[in-house]
Amino acid sequence: MRTSRLERSVTIAVLALGSVAALFPIAMIIASAFVSDNPNESGIVWSNFATAWDEGHFSTYMRSSVIVTVCVVALATALSCLLGYAFGTMRFRGSSVLFYVLLLGLMVPNEAIVVPLYYQLRDLHQINTYQALIFPQVAQSLAFGTFWMRAYFRGTSRELVEAARLDGAGHFRTFWSVLLPMGRPAIVTMVVLFSMWTWNEFLLPLVMIPNNEDLRTAPLGLTFFSGQYTGSPSLLAAAALIVALPMLLLFLIAQRHFIRGMTEGAVKG
């Protein structure tokens, strides 16, 4: 019993230290965003956010990020669910080979493909367009999304699928009306991950949008903003919070399903 209490105490202490180490930089950024760069001024300064929003043109950057993120998440989620259902419930010639070939996408870093991808899209006259940001990120997300949804569909009850088939349901009806509603936690987890990865993507917009400021995403705009206001830590902190806020709100809204999806995936794995 003493050993159990000691282990519990050590675990709590380690988790507490880890939480402090993770949250301390965030707390410092939040505190910096509400103070003035002028040492003679005191109190909470709300104008930092308005100044950063206007001076950094974040209305344009946030709009571009929202458009790209919504399109990427919608397309990648739909395709991942369909592919996951096919690989998880159907047996066809070459399915295993195709699945592992698709998984190669998890092993190839973005840095290895961004340069040849740039030249391919340039030849197709797609540079400085939303297509150059959306379709490559959809393709990059499919490997993980298919792997994730395949694991969910393989873990569903075979009796339930057979019962649906006996009732006359085809593949699409079984997928849409029976299995997909049950997979809400897995889908929400995947959507949150896709959203965070797409929203925080920096290298692809930097390379694919070299000349069109209106198409710059929020992280890319934050980089240009930080280069212009290196002497204003408060404005930089406010701008960083503006960029991070949408994903923070998304996680807070979906955290219950996200945590449930992660834990169920860990148990199945």
Side-chain angles (χ1 to χ4, degrees), residues 57-108:
H57 307 289
F58 280 103
S59 59
T60 301
Y61 302 150
M62 297 288 278
R63 180 191 64 198
S64 181
S65 282
V66 168
I67 292 173
V68 172
T69 301
V70 169
C71 292
V72 170
V73 171
L75 289 172
T77 300
L79 293 175
S80 296
C81 289
L82 291 170
L83 289 171
Y85 176 80
F87 285 116
T89 63
M90 300 179 184
R91 297 294 178 267
F92 52 91
R93 182 178 299 179
S95 60
S96 297
V97 175
L98 287 175
F99 176 69
Y100 288 114
V101 169
L102 185 63
L103 286 187
L104 290 176
L106 292 173
M107 307 176 190
V108 181

Side-chain angles (χ1 to χ4, degrees), residues 206-267:
L206 178 64
V207 175
M208 300 302 172
I209 310 296
N211 302 320
N212 194 336
E213 184 177 353
D214 292 337
L215 298 184
R216 288 178 182 170
T217 56
L220 185 59
L222 179 61
T223 301
F224 284 95
F225 180 80
S226 62
Q228 297 175 359
Y229 293 88
T230 54
S232 181
S234 298
L235 288 182
L236 293 179
L241 288 180
I242 290 173
V243 174
L245 185 60
M247 290 301 101
L248 177 61
L249 293 177
L250 175 64
F251 179 79
L252 292 177
I253 293 172
Q255 62 174 327
R256 182 169 62 89
H257 292 294
F258 179 82
I259 295 173
R260 181 182 170 189
M262 292 295 289
T263 54
E264 287 182 355
V267 171

Side-chain angles (χ1 to χ4, degrees), residues 49-173:
F49 293 93
T51 302
W53 181 271
D54 294 334
E55 296 293 333
H57 307 289
F58 280 103
S59 59
T60 301
Y61 302 150
M62 297 288 278
R63 180 191 64 198
S64 181
S65 282
V66 168
I67 292 173
V68 172
T69 301
V70 169
C71 292
V72 170
V73 171
L75 289 172
T77 300
L79 293 175
S80 296
C81 289
L82 291 170
L83 289 171
Y85 176 80
F87 285 116
T89 63
M90 300 179 184
R91 297 294 178 267
F92 52 91
R93 182 178 299 179
S95 60
S96 297
V97 175
L98 287 175
F99 176 69
Y100 288 114
V101 169
L102 185 63
L103 286 187
L104 290 176
L106 292 173
M107 307 176 190
V108 181
N110 293 346
E111 294 79 4
I113 63 173
V114 68
V115 173
L117 183 62
Y118 170 82
Y119 286 109
Q120 290 178 356
L121 292 177
R122 188 190 65 176
D123 293 340
L124 295 173
H125 307 288
Q126 296 299 309
I127 299 300
N128 290 311
T129 65
Y130 279 123
Q131 295 90 311
L133 297 178
I134 294 172
F135 292 117
Q137 293 189 77
V138 171
Q140 291 171 1
S141 301
L142 278 182
F144 171 80
T146 302
F147 171 80
W148 182 261
M149 294 308 299
R150 175 180 178 267
Y152 160 70
F153 285 117
R154 291 191 68 178
T156 55
S157 172
R158 299 301 303 173
E159 291 78 8
L160 187 63
V161 176
E162 293 299 330
R165 299 283 171 77
L166 290 175
D167 290 338
H171 278 297
F172 184 77
R173 183 67 179 274

